[in-house]
Amino acid sequence: MRLTVLGCYAATPRTLTNPTSQVLEINNQVVLIDCGEGTQVELRRHKIKFSRINHIFISHLHGDHFFGLPGFISTMRLLGREKALHVYGPKGIKEAITLLLKLGDSWTNYPLLFHELTSKEQELIFEDDKISVTTIPLDHRVYTNGYLFREKLGKRKLNVTAAEKYGIDKAYYNNIKNGKNITLDNGTIVSNSELTFDPPEPKSYAFCSDTVYDESLAEKIKNVDVLYHESTFLETETDLAVKTKHATAKQAAMVAKKANVKTLVLGHYSTRYKSIALFKEEASTIFPNVVLADDGKTFDF
Amino acid sequence: MRLTVLGCYAATPRTLTNPTSQVLEINNQVVLIDCGEGTQVELRRHKIKFSRINHIFISHLHGDHFFGLPGFISTMRLLGREKALHVYGPKGIKEAITLLLKLGDSWTNYPLLFHELTSKEQELIFEDDKISVTTIPLDHRVYTNGYLFREKLGKRKLNVTAAEKYGIDKAYYNNIKNGKNITLDNGTIVSNSELTFDPPEPKSYAFCSDTVYDESLAEKIKNVDVLYHESTFLETETDLAVKTKHATAKQAAMVAKKANVKTLVLGHYSTRYKSIALFKEEASTIFPNVVLADDGKTFDF
């Protein structure tokens, strides 16, 4: 599971910092999460092929999370995309994008499919044989969802050494991969688990931005491997966090602790602070395994 | 008159090239012309104060000319702008921006005033005591206007040496500045032109992008000092230019020659060419005074 942070700063794009956008590569599926202004340029900078992205998840309709989407969609057309592109986001996103394409008479040549969200309950919004995606309802100034990405448990892997030890003909290897037990010539049954390795433990990633501190969030993301939780402010600005419905680094750590996650990734930093190291310092007093998102940073989990 | 090119490449923003946007400083008025994605970052990069911009002129509603506008408008709000901001552009621009602000519940705190254009005739759309702005109807795939900016003729400047030579009392200097003749004590009338210098010649700038080659354009921009004319293609791609309603460098030069402009600025280059020097080479065979726009370049005219 690989996370590439294209942008992780709050509010406005600047010369050295970008608004929110991330690329998650999970079980060979590449998804884009949020799309602030300039996202397409950051994708190019990090040499991420536009064509690998088939699903875009937008948390909410503040500019710093989706003003890069119209340009990204238009560029896909200029690049000759033919495959369908799926966009998940709050109700209204379809009307906005459609209006912009209409005004420019720039309809896509590829199918552009919107999946508009209105529910305030957690819901499954995408599933294939590799991953599932569930919303994480968040509490921000406008209707907002985080997204929970889970790998599906893979197939067991053939243990060639074990199979050879039992003298099993290669013709049966596919049966083993498909979970079958094997009956040897002498009638002995060798159970599938003896002939295979456990598949890798499925990974999970929860993206939670933007949100006020909300203890109940922990239940929705219990035991995930990686939690990205916004930390726009430090504890000294807790009042401002409450007022603007954002969270502090300490609050993000409290959620991570309560949810029993393995790793907490902080981001969505206000640019008022001198150093983002302060966010890690503050969160680490509550939760041990904190890492800092930063523009251009890639994490392998 | 100072022109700063923030972006001058066609189609999509890339790591090293930006879509169309320019800042024109003319008679102390600072205006923004077009606003492709990333324009606000380029303004920051070139240290142009957002607050000096009160008028934005959008040529047409293709993404590479206006997808940076929602973010620019939103950032102005975050920066605490209070002054009115005027946006001129094709009909539909108000609905688009309004919808985006509504979806994000991010209404501006400052007056945001739209001046929507629908006429296919040249019209005066802004005038104060310093400048006037007139549309230049262009022929592109969607409704498009270029813009013609003209300085107003300034007041004549007092020639102190001449006034002293005639022994004119300083009390009359204001009358002279206001264009009056002066009657000396001996009854002689000294004409105002003898007591003043000519004001500087008013400058003019015509922005013409995007447009197919159109000979009749020359009439609308006759004798301007500076013409920015798009040159998306070279002559070898003339067919493609016709098909996509763009112009070649040679065609831009033909318009410049016919309109008898002083300087031709080329831009809106397709990124298919190895070097933009080719555009200058081609245009210079037709018209002598050609300069190349490039991202970040500033011209003083």
Side-chain angles (χ1 to χ4, degrees):
Chain A
M1 187 169 71
R2 166 172 285 194
L3 179 70
T4 303
V5 178
L6 302 176
C8 67
Y9 287 81
T12 67
R14 305 186 307 163
T15 42
L16 296 175
T17 65
N18 295 293
T20 302
S21 188
Q22 308 186 343
V23 175
L24 181 69
E25 189 170 346
I26 179 169
N27 237 351
N28 286 317
Q29 180 77 265
V30 179
V31 304
L32 185 68
I33 307 169
D34 279 349
C35 190
E37 186 175 347
T39 293
Q40 60 175 312
V41 172
E42 296 310 305
L43 283 169
R44 285 181 194 268
R45 198 187 310 284
H46 300 294
K47 304 201 192 312
I48 294 166
K49 281 197 181 149
F50 290 31
S51 60
R52 289 195 68 199
I53 296 169
N54 299 318
H55 299 272
I56 302 177
F57 298 88
I58 301 293
S59 63
H60 64 299
L61 300 183
H62 280 157
D64 55 335
H65 293 255
F66 102 110
F67 279 174
L69 187 59
F72 179 74
I73 286 170
S74 301
T75 292
M76 289 275 214
R77 170 174 163 265
L78 293 172
L79 295 176
R81 183 184 179 99
E82 294 180 354
K83 275 189 304 182
L85 180 67
H86 296 265
V87 178
Y88 305 77
K91 188 166 171 51
I93 196 168
K94 180 177 177 173
E95 185 188 355
I97 299 294
T98 305
L99 176 59
L100 293 174
L101 299 182
K102 188 184 88 175
L103 289 173
D105 194 17
S106 307
W107 301 105
T108 61
N109 295 324
Y110 57 88
L112 179 63
L113 303 167
F114 291 93
H115 305 268
E116 294 197 312
L117 306 173
T118 54
S119 176
K120 290 188 173 176
E121 304 297 319
Q122 195 160 25
E123 56 178 342
L124 178 73
I125 55 170
F126 174 76
E127 190 170 26
D128 64 5
D129 57 339
K130 296 288 187 69
I131 66 165
S132 71
V133 186
T134 313
T135 58
I136 309 169
L138 299 175
D139 182 7
H140 189 46
R141 301 195 304 275
V142 292
Y143 176 75
T144 303
N145 285 295
Y147 294 102
L148 173 53
F149 302 85
R150 284 187 189 281
E151 289 181 348
K152 294 272 179 80
L153 188 68
K155 281 188 177 176
R156 300 186 64 82
K157 296 251 160 88
L158 178 70
N159 179 343
V160 177
T161 314
E164 283 174 348
K165 197 186 79 188
Y166 284 108
I168 297 168
D169 192 278
K170 283 182 182 160
Y172 294 99
Y173 281 9
N174 252 338
N175 282 353
I176 297 172
K177 286 180 193 166
N178 288 327
K180 299 266 168 66
N181 298 330
I182 296 293
T183 307
L184 302 179
D185 291 347
N186 64 10
T188 312
I189 294 173
V190 186
S191 81
N192 187 266
S193 62
E194 277 193 72
L195 299 169
T196 53
F197 296 115
D198 288 347
E201 196 68 32
K203 298 275 176 60
S204 54
Y205 175 68
F207 171 85
C208 294
S209 182
D210 299 356
T211 185
V212 74
Y213 170 59
D214 175 9
E215 242 195 16
S216 75
L217 179 54
E219 283 311 308
K220 296 169 192 143
I221 55 172
K222 202 80 191 170
N223 302 323
V224 298
D225 290 286
V226 183
L227 166 64
Y228 175 90
H229 193 292
E230 75 128 288
S231 56
T232 308
F233 298 109
L234 293 175
E235 197 184 1
T236 39
E237 277 70 47
T238 303
D239 287 356
L240 195 54
V242 171
K243 194 179 153 205
T244 59
K245 294 216 169 182
H246 283 298
T248 67
K250 185 177 174 184
Q251 291 169 339
M254 284 158 70
V255 173
K257 187 179 179 183
K258 189 154 191 222
N260 189 40
V261 311
K262 287 203 185 77
T263 304
L264 169 64
V265 184
L266 294 178
H268 202 266
Y269 317 113
S270 161
T271 53
R272 75 185 56 212
Y273 303 106
K274 269 186 210 134
S275 159
I276 60 171
L278 299 167
F279 290 89
K280 182 169 178 175
E281 223 170 79
E282 179 173 303
S284 299
T285 62
I286 305 285
F287 183 81
N289 195 12
V290 179
V291 297
L292 292 173
D294 207 354
D295 295 7
K297 220 166 166 179
T298 292
F299 299 95
D300 286 301
F301 296 111
Chain B
M1 188 170 71
R2 167 173 284 195
L3 178 70
T4 303
V5 177
L6 303 176
C8 67
Y9 287 81
T12 68
R14 305 186 307 163
T15 42
L16 295 176
T17 65
N18 295 292
T20 303
S21 187
Q22 308 186 344
V23 175
L24 180 70
E25 190 169 346
I26 177 168
N27 238 349
N28 286 318
Q29 181 77 266
V30 179
V31 305
L32 185 67
I33 307 169
D34 279 349
C35 190
E37 186 173 349
T39 293
Q40 59 174 311
V41 171
E42 296 310 306
L43 283 168
R44 285 182 194 269
R45 197 187 311 283
H46 300 294
K47 304 201 191 314
I48 294 166
K49 281 197 181 150
F50 290 32
S51 60
R52 289 194 69 198
I53 297 168
N54 299 319
H55 299 271
I56 302 176
F57 298 88
I58 302 293
S59 62
H60 65 300
L61 300 183
H62 279 157
D64 55 334
H65 293 255
F66 101 109
F67 279 174
L69 187 59
F72 180 75
I73 286 171
S74 300
T75 292
M76 289 275 212
R77 170 174 163 265
L78 294 171
L79 294 177
R81 184 184 178 99
E82 292 180 353
K83 275 188 304 181
L85 180 67
H86 296 264
V87 178
Y88 305 77
K91 188 166 172 52
I93 195 166
K94 180 176 179 175
E95 185 188 355
I97 299 295
T98 305
L99 176 59
L100 293 174
L101 299 181
K102 189 185 88 177
L103 289 174
D105 194 17
S106 308
W107 300 107
T108 60
N109 295 323
Y110 58 88
L112 179 63
L113 305 167
F114 291 93
H115 306 267
E116 295 198 312
L117 307 173
T118 53
S119 176
K120 291 188 173 177
E121 302 299 319
Q122 193 158 27
E123 55 177 344
L124 179 73
I125 54 170
F126 174 76
E127 188 169 30
D128 65 5
D129 57 340
K130 298 287 188 68
I131 66 167
S132 70
V133 186
T134 312
T135 58
I136 308 168
L138 299 175
D139 182 8
H140 188 45
R141 301 194 304 275
V142 293
Y143 176 73
T144 304
N145 284 295
Y147 295 101
L148 173 52
F149 302 85
R150 284 188 189 280
E151 289 181 349
K152 295 270 179 83
L153 187 68
K155 281 187 176 176
R156 299 187 64 83
K157 297 248 162 89
L158 178 70
N159 181 344
V160 177
T161 315
E164 283 174 349
K165 197 185 78 185
Y166 284 108
I168 296 169
D169 193 278
K170 283 182 182 160
Y172 295 98
Y173 281 9
N174 251 339
N175 283 352
I176 298 172
K177 286 180 194 166
N178 289 326
K180 300 267 169 64
N181 297 332
I182 296 293
T183 307
L184 302 180
D185 291 347
N186 65 9
T188 313
I189 295 172
V190 186
S191 80
N192 187 268
S193 62
E194 277 193 73
L195 299 168
T196 52
F197 296 114
D198 289 347
E201 197 67 32
K203 298 275 175 63
S204 53
Y205 175 67
F207 170 86
C208 295
S209 182
D210 299 357
T211 185
V212 76
Y213 170 60
D214 174 9
E215 242 195 17
S216 75
L217 179 54
E219 281 312 307
K220 298 169 191 145
I221 55 173
K222 201 82 191 167
N223 302 322
V224 298
D225 291 286
V226 182
L227 165 63
Y228 175 89
H229 193 292
E230 75 128 289
S231 56
T232 306
F233 298 109
L234 294 177
E235 197 184 1
T236 39
E237 277 69 46
T238 303
D239 287 354
L240 195 53
V242 171
K243 192 178 153 204
T244 59
K245 293 211 169 187
H246 282 298
T248 67
K250 184 178 174 183
Q251 291 169 338
M254 283 157 70
V255 173
K257 187 178 178 183
K258 187 154 192 223
N260 189 40
V261 311
K262 288 205 184 77
T263 305
L264 169 64
V265 183
L266 294 177
H268 201 268
Y269 315 113
S270 161
T271 54
R272 75 186 55 213
Y273 303 105
K274 270 188 207 132
S275 160
I276 60 171
L278 299 168
F279 290 87
K280 183 168 176 175
E281 221 170 81
E282 179 173 304
S284 298
T285 63
I286 306 285
F287 184 80
N289 196 13
V290 179
V291 298
L292 292 173
D294 207 354
D295 295 8
K297 219 164 167 179
T298 292
F299 300 93
D300 286 302
F301 296 110

